[in-house]
Amino acid sequence: GAVVSQHPSRVICKSGTSVKIECRSLDFQATTMFWYRQFPKKSLMLMATSNEGSKATYEQGVEKDKFLINHASLTLSTLTVTSAHPEDSSFYICSASLTLLNRGHYNEQFFGPGTRLTVL
Amino acid sequence: SQKIEQNSEALNIQEGKTATLTCNYTNYSPAYLQWYRQDPGRGPVFLLLIRENEKEKRKERLKVTFDTTLKQSLFHITASQPADSATYLCALDSNYQLIWGAGTKLIIKP
């Protein structure tokens, strides 16, 4: 159980185009979804946290207008990289949590398989 | 400054031996710590969670320890197999977020 899918798995686009990445929880309702970015041999970098029906909370240094997040339902969150540039090329991973973030409570995250974005 | 550190060098272990990975942190007081496995080009997969009041947690061939005095967690894989080869990430909670280490690459040689 607790499967998260991500689509597409790989995308190559031209500079200036926008790319949408979908993250779906297949067999559970995800209260909270997270979007990460990962560079080779580096740790996961949290970009934003989103709760269904509310605006995403972006981490410091992450441009809201650049990385648009929509969490329209308990099973779907989308990340749109607008006007992509080569420096946006990275591995983007989403995850979903069953419970609201709360200190001391179990907070296992279920990850999608990731999306490799290459901007030419 | 706050840091979470894992050995950046790959760990090479002979099949059948116990692999031990280390996660050290400074200036955090996590309520719990988690370990994940990540294969190349894939998202991380949850393995174990250990709470601050637990010294040790086991799951099949996996064992995690958590020493809040040393600010360290150890992750052990006993009777290691080539299929255990992957990058292992530790993550701790801080201010309602998970803070991630960069991971340690484990290579189990047949």
Side-chain angles (χ1 to χ4, degrees):
Chain A
V3 177
V4 175
S5 70
Q6 220 175 306
H7 179 79
S9 59
R10 187 181 295 268
V11 59
I12 300 172
C13 68
K14 292 182 179 180
S15 184
T17 59
S18 294
V19 176
K20 180 186 282 190
I21 303 170
E22 289 188 350
C23 178
R24 292 181 185 273
S25 56
L26 298 184
D27 52 0
F28 67 101
Q29 292 185 327
T31 307
T32 306
M33 286 188 168
F34 306 87
W35 286 96
Y36 292 88
R37 187 173 178 176
Q38 188 176 33
F39 293 103
K41 298 184 180 180
K42 297 294 183 183
S43 64
L44 296 167
M45 185 189 79
L46 180 65
M47 299 174 66
T49 302
S50 71
N51 293 303
E52 182 265 339
S54 60
K55 290 184 178 180
T57 302
Y58 289 81
E59 295 303 302
Q60 192 171 11
V62 179
E63 299 176 57
K64 300 178 184 180
D65 297 331
K66 174 76 173 175
F67 299 99
L68 299 177
I69 292 173
N70 183 283
H71 193 162
S73 76
L74 285 171
T75 59
L76 174 64
S77 177
T78 60
L79 167 68
T80 301
V81 183
T82 62
S83 187
H85 291 285
E87 58 266 29
D88 298 324
S89 299
S90 189
F91 191 52
Y92 292 87
I93 314 175
C94 72
S95 72
S97 176
L98 286 170
T99 60
L100 288 171
L101 282 173
N102 196 351
R103 185 175 175 81
H105 287 140
Y106 189 57
N107 186 31
E108 175 185 345
Q109 293 187 23
F110 302 94
F111 284 85
T115 297
R116 172 73 59 190
L117 171 63
T118 303
V119 185
L120 303 176
Chain B
S1 63
Q2 294 177 312
K3 288 190 300 184
I4 178 168
E5 293 182 327
Q6 294 183 256
N7 196 332
S8 58
E9 294 182 9
L11 181 64
N12 288 276
I13 299 293
Q14 194 66 39
E15 181 179 7
K17 302 292 185 183
T18 296
T20 299
L21 287 74
T22 305
C23 177
N24 294 301
Y25 59 93
T26 55
N27 296 325
Y28 287 110
S29 296
Y32 56 81
L33 190 145
Q34 302 183 19
W35 283 88
Y36 289 76
R37 169 183 174 144
Q38 187 175 23
D39 291 286
R42 307 292 293 176
V45 175
F46 172 80
L47 295 175
L48 281 168
L49 176 149
I50 186 165
R51 304 182 195 281
E52 61 180 338
N53 61 349
E54 298 175 318
K55 296 292 185 185
E56 182 179 297
K57 184 72 73 73
R58 291 177 184 261
K59 178 182 177 183
E60 297 174 352
R61 293 185 295 112
L62 309 180
K63 185 178 83 171
V64 171
T65 63
F66 193 9
D67 190 324
T68 55
T69 301
L70 290 178
K71 295 186 181 295
Q72 179 182 77
S73 176
L74 298 179
F75 176 81
H76 307 271
I77 304 177
T78 59
S80 60
Q81 304 166 1
D84 295 326
S85 299
T87 296
Y88 291 85
L89 306 168
C90 68
L92 54 81
D93 79 299
S94 176
N95 294 327
Y96 311 128
Q97 292 182 6
L98 278 183
I99 308 299
W100 295 84
T104 297
K105 185 174 183 178
L106 175 65
I107 301 169
I108 306 299
K109 297 182 176 179

